[in-house]
Amino acid sequence: MTHKSLAADEVTTAVCGYCATGCGLRLHLQQGLAVGLSPESEYPVNLGMACPKGWEALRVLDSPNRATTPMRREGNQLIAIDWDEALQMFCHEFKKIGKEHGPQSVAFLSTGQIACEEMAFLGCLAKFGMGMLHGDGNTRQCMATAVTAYKESFGFDAPPYTYADFEASDCLVFVGANPCIGHPIMWERVLRNPNDPEIVVLDPRVTETAMAATEHLQLRPKSDLILLYGLTREVIAIGGVDKDFVERSTCGFEELSQCVDAYTPAVTAQASGIDEEVIRRTARKIADASAASFWWTMGVNQSYEGVRTAQAIINLALITGNIGRPGTGANSITGQCNAMGSRLWSNTTNLFGHHDFASAEDRQRLAEILGIQSERIPDQNSLSYDQIMDGIDSGEIRGLWVIATNPAHSWIDQDDARRRLAKLDFLVVQDMYANTETAAECDLLLPAAGWGEKSGTFINSERRYGLHKQVRRAPGKALSDFRIFRAVADYWGCGEMFSDWTTPEAVFQIMQRVSCGRPNDISGINGYEQIDQCGGIQWPWSTQDAASGLPEQERRLFAGGKFFTHDGKARLITAEPGTMPEPPSDQYPFILLTGRGTVSQWHTQTRTSQSPILRKLYPETIYAEIHPHDAQELSIATGDSVRVRSRRGSIVVQASVTSSVGQGQVFIPMHYGATNRLTLKHFDPYSRQPSYKDSAVSLERVQ
Ligand code: SF4
């Protein structure tokens, strides 16, 4: 008998709402509502595959922990109220704070988890309608480094690749990336590569991806910049430079050569722990490849020198001419389903549509397109996430609106973060779930619809706009984030300013006008229907492009060697490597690495913990991976309770003795609530991204 989830009377497609892979899903409908799903075999991203999170995307909507009604704090409790009271309270409290303390005293924290159209509405409403100066996204925690690196090197935040490049390379270099579990469908694309490619992995851990590599460089934590410079020096020394491309399309090769000259194989080997011969062999593999591609994620981005490390990767791709051709690229892999949308459309630290708040010309252009006075657009950049947290601590920021993110769990140095959040006069949380750590502390909870209960677009890692659709009803009184922003605008008294912002697709048309003539031009997209029919559409797709026909499914940037800088040349940017701010000491002799645990876990587990199937696929209890030698020294065995202590706090975890971590290192997945009680609050100076992977800790078996 056919299972009821497959007995559909209708089928539609939508992109998945978890990660930035952006898989296409086929939704099985009965009377218009989704009862099941399967991966879409025609979608160019996933080609009929999905990971466990995607398969479970509908089930987590049915959780009893859903926020189903607005709630306000009364003493230690949150009590149910109606939307009218919630919206009146929202406006009254934020207006009161703004009146007493100025427009800088209220801020918002946005997310990479909602649609482009929703984050556009939020950012424009908050800054142009409500008069806020400061707002940032949780993408600061994952992608800010890649954004800054691309902007400085390419002149625009422009990941150049398309997923077909996974299958077209003959040498794939993964730096601080574990796609086997972090981006499993991308890894499946690697496995389809017919070239028997070299797979080089730079990672301090023996990750699942490292186990599958043809060359694993198990470098010391935070020696990646030196190792990349050492590889660059060797590539230059063996004649691996594409001189023609460097001359034609880049600036700064002389400075780069001088900078890396000090990183001889001997010096690099001493700093990184990688054998000289392996350094030479790896450089040779890169130099000899006809199509080498370079991929990075959080191991690079979440670092106190992440921007310069990302640029060292970009430099390697550029000097070897590995960009703009099939199988090449300096390719940042994104995390959240719409982190890429946030980078363009959230109106947080970039002015809406990747403009510049400090540019009068940009403000004027935008004001004309949006039909608002240019004076309504702030002429200063927003504070970044960490600076907003500092502002809360100093009392300068007193009201905070948090949308679809969970800082009380995910922000670095958690005890300090919670202490700061507790100082707020008014904390609003807008979320699908009522049981997040941040919702537990809020003064007002606004219940939001989730993926599948609303529609809009996400942009995936390869710049592809994908459509997601409403196939379920939101529970109780929960509303789509779009409708909440619409209601806030009306209650605030600025609804008129957004009279054209009637539906997500109407906002998409506004975004198209804003993008016109820019590197991210999407003016040629013929509505949501075309996105749906074409298997998503990568930016750019301008009206001029559209005149030549339908968009091809796989397009990459920089094919002509021309970049978005004023002279069309990419910049080769370097800096002297720094030192770890909190090196291991006698008292704290281990380096704590944090990161993704399993394929079935996602960030703070707000959603993944709602699925009984996903819960079965990961350890329930927080655990730490400890090297066998260290475990023996400390008389620790697998399953023992171990106290992990840092200068910030101490937690008890279950030991997992394994040589997947190096000696002197400990790995704890980021998904567990306690992990960030240990992490040291420090940031990349250019991107302000937190550095989560280099805190000093001690270990002690709990008797
Ligand atoms: S890989 Fe990402 S986009 Fe694809 S099904 Fe899994 S969570 Fe969804």
Side-chain angles (χ1 to χ4, degrees):
M1 187 196 293
T2 308
H3 188 273
K4 72 175 168 52
S5 69
L6 296 174
D9 51 37
E10 200 186 340
V11 167
T12 191
T13 52
V15 290
C16 177
Y18 268 106
C19 91
T21 307
C23 296
L25 301 175
R26 178 183 287 255
L27 294 152
H28 310 172
L29 310 180
Q30 282 175 8
Q31 297 175 350
L33 298 178
V35 291
L37 62 78
S38 53
E40 171 56 57
S41 55
E42 301 293 315
Y43 203 68
V45 165
N46 51 314
L47 311 174
M49 301 176 277
C51 83
K53 297 186 294 294
W55 279 103
E56 284 293 284
L58 288 171
R59 198 181 314 265
V60 296
L61 299 175
D62 301 327
S63 161
N65 294 316
R66 290 295 302 272
T68 56
T69 178
M71 302 184 95
R72 71 170 163 78
R73 179 158 302 284
E74 203 169 279
N76 289 332
Q77 283 187 319
L78 288 173
I79 60 163
I81 54 175
D82 62 24
W83 271 108
D84 179 62
E85 184 180 345
L87 290 162
Q88 295 217 33
M89 182 182 181
F90 178 100
C91 295
H92 177 263
E93 294 297 325
F94 278 147
K95 281 187 176 180
K96 189 170 82 163
I97 293 170
K99 200 167 165 197
E100 286 174 15
H101 303 285
Q104 78 290 341
S105 61
V106 176
F108 66 100
L109 288 178
S110 183
T111 176
Q113 294 291 149
I114 58 177
C116 292
E117 297 79 359
E118 292 178 323
M119 55 181 64
F121 206 159
L122 167 62
C124 292
L125 165 65
K127 291 205 170 175
F128 310 153
M130 297 168 66
M132 288 190 204
L133 290 177
H134 302 308
D136 199 7
N138 64 2
T139 44
R140 180 73 50 191
Q141 295 162 279
C142 51
M143 296 318 306
T145 287
V147 173
T148 307
Y150 278 140
K151 278 169 85 171
E152 290 181 357
S153 295
F154 293 164
F156 198 83
D157 174 22
Y161 63 103
T162 189
Y163 291 162
D165 292 324
F166 285 118
E167 300 179 21
S169 282
D170 54 7
C171 178
L172 297 105
V173 182
F174 291 98
V175 187
N178 185 13
C180 269
I181 63 160
H183 296 86
I185 302 306
M186 295 192 199
W187 181 248
E188 292 292 336
R189 299 291 299 263
V190 175
L191 297 181
R192 287 165 50 98
N193 186 314
N195 305 325
D196 190 20
E198 290 287 349
I199 299 176
V200 177
V201 172
L202 276 64
D203 202 306
R205 296 172 56 221
V206 188
T207 62
E208 294 80 353
T209 307
M211 288 178 207
T214 56
E215 190 82 75
H216 176 205
L217 281 63
Q218 192 177 4
L219 70 170
R220 293 197 182 103
K222 297 300 150 214
S223 65
D224 42 5
L225 185 53
I226 291 177
L227 180 54
L228 287 160
Y229 284 169
L231 289 170
T232 304
R233 182 188 188 280
E234 194 60 16
V235 165
I236 295 171
I238 61 177
V241 173
D242 182 337
K243 289 183 183 157
D244 189 42
F245 183 85
V246 166
E247 176 67 26
R248 190 166 33 91
S249 297
T250 71
C251 279
F253 183 72
E254 279 310 310
E255 293 84 346
L256 169 70
S257 303
Q258 282 167 18
C259 171
V260 301
D261 195 45
Y263 301 98
T264 61
V267 168
T268 305
Q270 194 173 27
S272 65
I274 303 299
D275 194 78
E276 286 184 47
E277 182 46 37
V278 175
I279 294 168
R280 290 198 177 92
R281 190 165 67 221
T282 303
R284 172 60 66 191
K285 287 177 182 180
I286 293 168
D288 286 352
S290 58
S293 56
F294 302 83
W295 309 85
W296 81 88
T297 60
M298 296 314 136
V300 171
N301 287 347
Q302 291 178 336
S303 166
Y304 56 86
E305 53 188 1
V307 170
R308 295 298 177 246
T309 307
Q311 286 167 333
I313 298 169
I314 292 170
N315 294 345
L316 258 176
L318 288 169
I319 66 167
T320 53
N322 277 301
I323 199 140
R325 293 184 289 113
T328 66
N331 305 329
S332 143
I333 302 176
T334 312
Q336 300 179 76
C337 58
N338 204 20
M340 288 283 287
S342 169
R343 287 152 76 156
L344 290 175
W345 298 114
S346 64
N347 202 31
T348 49
T349 46
N350 277 330
L351 177 57
F352 192 49
H354 213 298
H355 290 79
D356 182 0
F357 282 105
S359 160
E361 194 185 331
D362 281 6
R363 294 198 303 275
Q364 187 59 38
R365 175 179 189 266
L366 201 57
E368 282 168 18
I369 295 171
L370 298 181
I372 62 174
Q373 295 168 330
S374 63
E375 295 73 38
R376 294 209 71 100
I377 301 178
D379 60 2
Q380 56 180 280
N381 286 321
S382 169
L383 296 179
S384 55
Y385 198 142
D386 63 303
Q387 292 163 336
I388 288 173
M389 294 298 275
D390 286 347
I392 294 169
D393 201 26
S394 69
E396 199 176 340
I397 292 174
R398 291 163 176 264
L400 187 68
W401 183 12
V402 175
I403 300 96
T405 190
N406 189 9
H409 176 137
S410 63
W411 192 244
I412 200 159
D413 190 358
Q414 188 184 99
D415 290 357
D416 182 65
R418 289 185 180 212
R419 179 185 62 75
R420 291 173 185 221
L421 291 173
K423 286 176 127 182
L424 287 162
D425 293 344
F426 191 52
L427 172 61
V428 178
V429 169
Q430 180 170 320
D431 205 288
M432 283 173 70
Y433 296 101
N435 65 334
T436 71
E437 289 89 342
T438 312
E441 304 302 323
C442 76
D443 298 297
L444 177 66
L445 177 68
L446 303 179
W451 171 91
E453 297 166 344
K454 55 185 184 173
S455 57
T457 58
F458 297 142
I459 309 175
N460 77 354
S461 275
E462 45 159 10
R463 313 178 320 283
R464 187 182 304 273
Y465 281 82
L467 187 65
H468 64 98
K469 300 174 189 167
Q470 183 174 6
V471 288
R472 282 283 189 93
R473 288 191 202 99
K477 296 177 186 166
L479 296 175
S480 71
D481 293 284
F482 192 91
R483 284 193 62 194
I484 296 173
F485 301 139
R486 179 75 257 161
V488 167
D490 290 336
Y491 272 72
W492 193 271
C494 59
E496 205 36 44
M497 188 185 291
F498 300 97
S499 57
D500 293 341
W501 299 51
T502 49
T503 63
E505 191 157 12
V507 173
F508 185 78
Q509 287 160 6
I510 293 169
M511 289 158 46
Q512 287 184 286
R513 291 201 290 279
V514 170
S515 75
C516 199
R518 319 254 319 153
N520 58 317
D521 194 336
I522 49 167
S523 58
I525 296 178
N526 193 8
Y528 276 4
E529 199 178 330
Q530 191 184 37
I531 295 175
D532 205 19
Q533 284 172 354
C534 289
I537 299 175
Q538 291 167 298
W539 67 257
W541 189 248
S542 66
T543 43
Q544 291 90 324
D545 295 327
S548 63
L550 290 173
E552 290 169 42
Q553 284 193 329
E554 306 279 357
R555 289 181 296 122
R556 57 186 65 77
L557 301 177
F558 312 132
K562 222 170 160 19
F563 295 85
F564 296 121
T565 50
H566 67 88
D567 58 5
K569 293 187 173 189
R571 302 294 188 263
L572 298 165
I573 301 170
T574 54
E576 286 303 318
T579 52
M580 201 183 286
E582 188 179 67
S585 63
D586 288 346
Q587 198 180 355
Y588 299 100
F590 294 91
I591 298 174
L592 171 66
L593 311 173
T594 67
R596 185 71 65 90
T598 68
V599 72
S600 302
Q601 289 167 294
W602 180 252
H603 291 187
T604 66
Q605 301 202 139
T606 304
R607 266 191 296 178
T608 45
S609 67
Q610 312 301 323
S611 156
I613 290 179
L614 296 180
R615 283 203 303 272
K616 281 202 177 99
L617 297 175
Y618 60 79
E620 192 181 341
T621 312
I622 185 170
Y623 63 95
E625 293 180 359
I626 302 166
H627 190 273
H629 175 85
D630 297 327
Q632 192 178 20
E633 293 262 299
L634 297 166
S635 303
I636 292 170
T638 290
D640 283 352
S641 292
V642 171
R643 181 167 298 284
V644 187
R645 208 185 293 272
S646 78
R647 291 182 176 86
R648 274 70 55 197
S650 100
I651 64 175
V652 174
V653 302
Q654 203 168 69
S656 171
V657 178
T658 166
S659 49
S660 69
V661 285
Q663 225 172 297
Q665 298 159 35
V666 186
F667 172 75
I668 303 180
M670 64 180 175
H671 315 289
Y672 299 97
T675 307
N676 277 315
R677 295 194 60 210
L678 302 170
T679 46
L680 170 70
K681 190 170 62 220
H682 61 308
F683 306 90
D684 180 279
Y686 308 102
S687 68
R688 307 305 307 168
Q689 179 155 347
S691 185
Y692 280 101
K693 299 176 191 294
D694 56 307
S695 306
V697 296
S698 65
L699 301 178
E700 175 196 359
R701 187 159 74 93
V702 177
Q703 300 298 332

